[in-house]
Amino acid sequence: MNAHQPNASPDERRTVHVREVGPRDGFQNEPETIATADKIRLINALGRAGFKRIEVASFVRPDVIPQLSDGVEVLTGIDLPDDVARMVLIPNSRGLDNALHHRELYEAATLFVSASQTHNMRNINRSVEETMADVAVMGKRILAEDLTYCAVIATSFGCPFEGEVPMDRVLELAEQFAASGATEIGFGDTTGMCNPAYASRFFAAAIERLPGVEVTAHFHNTRGQGLANAYAALEAGCSSFESSFGELGGCPVPKGSTGNIATEDLVSMFHEMGVETGIDLDAVISAAREAQDVLGRKLTSHSIVAGPVIWHPAI
Ligand code: ZN
């Protein structure tokens, strides 16, 4: 075990948080628009699986992402246990205005930026600097509403347009988020460019530079290294992860590639290693299978195909 984690003892590290992002990151990037009633049913199923935080909606413009235009209906329709925080993604001040009209429907708000200038321009049509200037204002408004303020930095491990993204640049942006009041910061491997050795170095450095912040790993499996990266981050002291049930979604660049790591595969790996998640693996697999029925096609996470491990080796 790496001894780099300053804010958790080795014992505490054996429990990790897994945040489900499928209803936003997943549904957004699937080619089909999923009916509101189906989204509500699937999110309620996830709510029964033991997640403490689920990203359920986004306040992006409906003409930009029509798949998520029913966010308010979804938030109004879902029925989650009281201890499950509902998270929403907010792209800019306008989205925040809209989101705050529905303040009672969620507990956590997530702001985001891409570490790569080109990716940020293509994604939200603004420079990184413009986005971060807006973040400073939005962060205050989020905290004033007594919401949990989260942040995500996309293309933290490489950009499909620019290539390498320096670690220092990513961590400086994270420090800016922390300075504006964010208490949870996720690092997204948007197009699957991370590798386990880099994940190990990166998360050790991130945890050291962001005291008091919940540092979260958001890996994609685009090049088959998602779970290996999650393991490396865990060993470096990271205890918070984001993933998507059914392996839904993820960035559609490069075209046709896999996106998010599957929650059921991540949870299965942790449980087999003796790492607690508080999540009912069977319930996640059954929610993912229900998503297959809704989409009308096979989903290919390992745990959907093979089922959970039955033989438990001595840990
Ligand atoms: Zn993702």
Side-chain angles (χ1 to χ4, degrees), residues 149-232:
Y149 168 20
C150 311
V152 168
I153 302 175
T155 63
S156 283
F157 306 96
C159 166
F161 310 111
E162 294 183 12
E164 190 193 339
V165 175
M167 187 187 298
D168 235 20
R169 174 177 173 77
V170 179
L171 295 181
E172 275 167 23
L173 289 169
E175 285 171 336
Q176 286 180 44
F177 273 117
S180 73
T183 53
E184 302 177 14
I185 302 178
F187 297 94
D189 190 16
T190 313
T191 58
M193 292 173 74
C194 193
N195 65 70
Y198 190 75
S200 178
R201 285 201 304 279
F202 182 95
F203 280 91
I207 289 163
E208 206 159 286
R209 273 179 64 168
L210 298 164
V213 171
E214 182 177 341
V215 171
T216 299
H218 180 127
F219 288 118
H220 283 198
N221 205 32
T222 322
R223 293 178 174 82
Q225 297 180 46
L227 284 185
N229 290 336
Y231 175 68

Side-chain angles (χ1 to χ4, degrees), residues 303-315:
S303 300
I304 289 184
V305 175
V309 175
I310 293 169
W311 173 69
H312 290 266
I315 307 266

